[in-house]
Amino acid sequence: MGARHRFVAILWADLRERTRGARFWVMLLGMSMLAWACIPPPDSSYTILSLAGGARGAYSSAWVGMALAMVSSVLLNLGGFYLVRGTLVRDFDTRVWQLLVATPMTRGGYLLAKWASHMVIFVVIIVVALGVGVVAQLVRAEDRSIDLFELVKPALLLSLPGLAVTSMAAIWFDLLPFLRRTAGNVLFFLVWLAVLGVFGSRLDVPSSVLQAGWVSDPGGMVLAARDFHRVREAQTGLPQRFAFAVGSPRKPVQVVFPWKHWPVRAMDVLGRLLWVAFAVGGVLLAAPWLDWAASRGPATALATSRSGRRLRWLDRVLQPLSRGRVANVAVAELKLYLRD
C-alpha cells in the first residue's frame, strides 16, 4: 500500500505540474486541430491518410482511429518528447530528489512513476484527439455508427507502444547530464529523423514489409502498411500497388473503400507489446544510475564550484592550531570566513 501510494503521489504531482504549463495546452490544442484536419470533407481536394491511387477508407470509426493513430505515431512522438522531458531535471534542480531518496521509495519505482506520468499525458492528448475525431466522423456523415473498440484499437496498437519508447527516451535524456539541455533536444530530433528514414526505407521494398511477420517499428508503420495492402487486395481481388501516404494535402481522393474493421493477428499484438516491455525494461535499467545523475545537478555544481579552492593550503597552515575544542571552533570559523 505504501509503495502504491508513493507511486500515485509522484504521478499525480507530475500531472499537476505539467497541466499548469502552457506547453501542455498548446500541444493539446494543436493535436485537436490536427485531429479535425485528419477527417476532411468528402469533397475536399486533400486527404491526410491515403493509399495507392488516392484511395482512402470511408469515414468509419475504424478508419478515423487509423488516421489519427498514424498521424500521432509520426508527430506526437516528436512533439511529445519535448512536452514530457524535464521532470527528472526539475527534481534534481529543486533538490526534491534529496527528499524523495530519504523515503522508502525505490529508485525503480520512482522512475516508473515518472514514465507512467509521461504516458498518462499522452493518453489524455490521444483521448481528446479521438473525441474530436468522433465529432468529425458524425459531421462528415459517411458512416455515423460509432464503434469505440475499432476507434481506440489503432491508438492502442500503433501510437502507445511508440510513445512508450519516447517516454523511456525522455527518462534517459534527463538522466544523462550532457543530454539535459540543447544538445539532447537536437540529438533526439536527429534520432527521430533517422528512425523515420530507416523504417521508411523499408516501405519502398514491398517484399520486406509483406514478409515482416510480427516484427514492426516503434510507430507501427510497417504493420499498418502490410495490412493496408492485404485488405485492399482481398477487397478488389486484384494486385495492388504497394504505397500509402500520411499527410498528402495535394492528392484528391479517387476511390473510397469500406474500412469497418482492422484485422489484427494475435502475433502482431504480441509484437507491439514487446515495444512496451522494451520501454519498461529501459526505464528500470536507468535505476542504478539515478544517484549518479542526481549528484551532477546544478545544486551540486554550485556546492563544488571553484570558490575557495585556492585556499586549500589553509587546511595545512591552520592544522597545527587545531588543538582543543575552542581552537577547533576558532579555526573552523576562520576558514569559513576566508573561503567566502
Side-chain angles (χ1 to χ4, degrees):
M1 291 293 293
R4 184 173 65 183
H5 177 74
R6 289 188 291 272
F7 182 92
V8 173
I10 294 173
L11 190 151
W12 180 244
D14 273 353
L15 292 180
R16 294 182 63 184
E17 181 67 25
R18 284 202 186 95
T19 53
R20 290 170 181 165
R23 285 190 300 175
F24 170 77
W25 296 105
V26 170
M27 178 65 72
L28 187 64
L29 177 61
M31 288 301 299
S32 300
M33 296 172 62
L34 184 60
W36 182 264
C38 284
I39 316 299
D43 58 351
S44 175
S45 61
Y46 75 95
T47 182
I48 296 299
L49 176 61
S50 60
L51 308 187
R56 68 159 175 84
Y59 291 151
S60 63
S61 295
W63 185 260
V64 169
M66 181 65 74
L68 296 180
M70 297 289 282
V71 172
S72 297
S73 294
V74 176
L75 297 181
L76 191 54
N77 272 296
L78 177 63
F81 172 82
Y82 301 108
L83 172 65
V84 301
R85 74 163 307 184
T87 57
L88 266 68
V89 175
R90 184 179 65 246
D91 285 355
F92 296 158
D93 291 351
T94 59
R95 300 189 181 184
V96 170
W97 166 248
Q98 284 85 334
L99 300 177
L100 294 175
V101 78
T103 70
M105 173 200 62
T106 64
R107 285 146 181 79
Y110 168 78
L111 291 178
L112 282 178
K114 293 292 185 179
W115 178 84
S117 71
H118 297 349
M119 293 302 295
V120 171
I121 287 293
F122 290 145
V123 168
V124 170
I125 293 174
I126 288 175
V127 168
V128 172
L130 289 176
V132 174
V134 169
V135 174
Q137 176 189 348
L138 296 176
V139 171
R140 303 314 182 207
E142 288 189 348
D143 184 348
R144 290 187 171 179
S145 60
I146 305 298
D147 187 334
L148 292 180
F149 179 71
E150 290 296 330
L151 177 72
V152 174
K153 188 199 308 184
L156 293 176
L157 296 181
L158 296 179
S159 301
L160 289 185
L163 291 171
V165 177
T166 298
S167 298
M168 179 201 70
I171 295 292
W172 274 99
F173 275 63
D174 280 355
L175 201 69
L176 301 176
F178 55 89
L179 294 179
R180 291 176 184 172
R181 308 298 176 186
T182 304
N185 292 335
V186 174
L187 178 60
F188 183 82
F189 179 73
L190 296 178
V191 170
W192 176 78
L193 289 178
V195 171
L196 283 183
V198 169
F199 289 101
S201 63
R202 292 190 62 188
L203 300 179
D204 295 331
V205 184
S207 60
S208 68
V209 176
L210 298 177
Q211 298 172 5
W214 54 273
V215 179
S216 61
D217 57 291
M221 293 294 182
V222 173
L223 174 63
R226 186 202 65 198
D227 287 345
F228 285 149
H229 186 270
R230 181 161 53 90
V231 170
R232 286 298 291 148
E233 285 199 340
Q235 287 180 346
T236 61
L238 300 172
Q240 295 292 309
R241 187 164 61 89
F242 187 89
F244 82 95
V246 177
S248 52
R250 297 302 177 189
K251 291 184 178 181
V253 175
Q254 299 177 6
V255 178
V256 177
F257 58 88
W259 185 275
K260 302 285 290 186
H261 169 66
W262 177 29
V264 181
R265 304 177 307 177
M267 290 301 294
D268 296 329
V269 176
L270 175 62
R272 302 306 294 158
L273 289 177
L274 286 179
W275 282 111
V276 179
F278 168 76
V280 173
V283 171
L284 293 177
L285 190 63
W289 300 91
L290 190 55
D291 291 333
W292 171 84
S295 68
R296 279 145 180 85
T300 304
L302 178 64
T304 59
S305 65
R306 295 184 176 274
S307 176
R309 287 190 178 185
R310 294 182 179 180
L311 298 180
R312 285 182 177 178
W313 55 272
L314 275 176
D315 296 334
R316 295 190 293 270
V317 171
L318 297 178
Q319 182 64 34
L321 303 178
S322 302
R323 299 184 184 278
R325 295 181 180 177
V326 176
N328 283 334
V329 173
V331 169
E333 291 290 339
L334 179 61
K335 288 195 293 185
L336 181 63
Y337 175 80
L338 292 176
R339 288 186 187 278
D340 286 343

